[in-house]
Structure formats: structure tokens, C-alpha cells
Amino acid sequence: GQNIDQPTEMTATEGAIVQINCTYQTSGFNGLFWYQQHAGEAPTFLSYNVLDGLEEKGRFSSFLSRSKGYSYLLLKELQMKDSASYLCASGNTPLVFGKGTRLSVIA
Amino acid sequence: NAGVMQNPRHLVRRRGQEARLRCSPMKGHSHVYWYRQLPEEGLKFMVYLQKENIIDESGMPKERFSAEFPKEGPSILRIQQVVRGDSAAYFCASSPLSSGNTGELFFGEGSRLTVL
């Protein structure tokens, strides 16, 4: 079966760092995606991990541990515009998405 | 360079009517996926199509829902005899590859269906 778990909501302060965790159990695995979705808008691609370790891309980094079925998205120097839902997805065909973590960035 | 185009963006239907949602993939993309998103919920896979073929429809309800991706023209998701529970955002995504082969999905802006 397919199961992807992530926290429902998180709140963090502007300028801080936040880590959004994701655990997955999928039949077959070809990588782990993170997408960002602002309210009422389309999901947009943030990152993709297929090997263990940390991938850094500007203020955003994503980590994968295949043996633990675990990933996290790290957001640094938070800005108000980072308030959005962050969707973890497993790289099967089709992509299976978690329910998303709604991040609120407060001043 | 146009992205994934969906129309209509908003659609209102009364119970029992039909809803048709259209999706034109990005240029050069031959794989189309439809997902449904309920308020406060994640994206639920419905159907995966390539030109003229349904590859995987395991997420599609067995009745009232159908999808096609003809040789010419957009992909269409059709919902017959809509009910209130069909109210949701329907997102189309396209990829040049199947998503299991590192094919990043590019999403359209979605079609928001409201059933009165």
C-alpha cells in the first residue's frame, strides 16, 4: 500500500528555520518530491531526492533517508511569503501525495 | 512558453448536470495526470493518460467519471450527474516522462467545481 504522513499544521516566526518532516511507505520507490502550494493556486515543484542525504537549493533544503522511509524539508530565513502548504510526494507512477503541511509564518 | 492550461477555472453546476474539465499539457509533454483536491485535503490521484490511452485509472470512481486524451486536442475529465460531493478542485499535471522515472509534474491552476 501507499502511505505518506506529514504534520497537518506548523507555525514559525519570520527569519527563523523550520523543518517539515515526512515519512512514507510506498510499493516501489523512485524518489521523493516536495511541492509548495499557496492557497487557491497550483502546486509548484521545490525539490527531488533519490539518493540519501541533503540537497540544498538556496533557502530550501531537502533530506532523504531511504532506509528509514523519511524525508524532511528545511526552510531557512523564513519570509511571510513562505506561508503555504508543503506537499510531500513519493516518486511512483503516479505520484502519491501526502495531505500537506500548512505552514504559517508570523511576524 | 505556456504552462499547463486548464479551463474553466471555475465551474458551477446543479446536481444531476454534467461537468467537463479541460487540460492542455505543456508543449512536448505526452503524459497527463488528473488529481482531485478537497478543502484541507491532499491531492488524490484519479487517472493517468498518454495520448489515446488510459494507463492507470485506479483512482477514478467507477461510475459517472471518465477521462480521455485524444490524439488531437486537450485531455478531458468528464463528470456525469454531478452530486454535491463532487465539489472540489481538479488539478491536471503533465510530464515529459512517467512520474516514476524522475518525471517532475507540472501542474495547471486547477478547475474549481461547485455543485449546488
Side-chain angles (χ1 to χ4, degrees):
Chain A
Q2 321 266 39
N3 193 41
I4 298 181
D5 285 319
Q6 50 183 131
T8 304
E9 291 187 52
M10 297 183 72
T11 301
T13 306
E14 195 176 14
I17 299 173
V18 71
Q19 178 174 313
I20 303 174
N21 297 323
C22 170
T23 57
Y24 63 89
Q25 290 176 301
T26 54
S27 53
F29 179 78
N30 282 309
L32 196 292
F33 290 80
W34 284 95
Y35 280 79
Q36 180 191 60
Q37 185 179 25
H38 284 98
E41 297 184 11
T44 54
F45 170 80
L46 284 179
S47 69
Y48 171 72
N49 294 66
V50 67
L51 299 176
D52 289 352
L54 189 68
E55 294 276 344
E56 296 189 71
K57 191 189 292 186
R59 293 190 300 115
F60 292 8
S61 302
S62 56
F63 172 84
L64 176 66
S65 168
R66 288 172 295 173
S67 62
K68 294 181 180 177
Y70 168 68
S71 173
Y72 67 71
L73 181 68
L74 192 71
L75 293 78
K76 303 176 188 175
E77 301 169 15
L78 280 173
Q79 302 175 9
M80 301 299 283
K81 67 178 182 179
D82 296 330
S83 293
S85 286
Y86 292 86
L87 312 178
C88 174
S90 172
N92 294 291
T93 300
L95 266 184
V96 178
F97 285 83
K99 290 190 175 182
T101 298
R102 190 164 60 248
L103 174 66
S104 298
V105 179
I106 58 176
Chain B
N1 189 17
V4 178
M5 304 298 291
Q6 288 189 249
N7 70 82
R9 292 290 309 278
H10 298 276
L11 182 64
V12 179
R13 285 288 179 265
R14 296 191 181 280
R15 280 180 296 169
Q17 291 184 320
E18 179 180 286
R20 281 191 182 223
L21 310 177
R22 294 172 187 76
C23 170
S24 295
M26 283 183 72
K27 188 175 181 180
H29 288 191
S30 58
H31 299 251
V32 166
Y33 303 80
W34 285 94
Y35 286 82
R36 176 163 63 176
Q37 188 174 42
L38 293 168
E40 311 301 321
E41 292 283 327
L43 292 162
K44 296 289 188 188
F45 166 75
M46 299 182 74
V47 62
Y48 162 37
L49 310 105
Q50 294 180 29
K51 282 286 186 182
E52 299 185 279
N53 287 307
I54 296 175
I55 308 301
D56 182 347
E57 56 182 348
S58 59
M60 194 107 91
K62 293 288 185 281
E63 297 178 351
R64 302 188 297 107
F65 285 72
S66 62
E68 61 177 9
F69 189 15
K71 187 176 180 181
E72 302 291 338
S75 175
I76 295 175
L77 179 67
R78 182 182 178 204
I79 311 172
Q80 295 177 289
Q81 300 175 330
V82 296
V83 300
R84 290 220 173 99
D86 297 333
S87 295
Y90 292 84
F91 285 95
C92 172
S94 73
S95 171
L97 303 169
S98 64
S99 63
N101 291 307
T102 72
E104 172 193 338
L105 291 184
F106 296 81
F107 282 87
E109 294 293 327
S111 292
R112 281 151 185 82
L113 172 65
T114 301
V115 180
L116 301 178

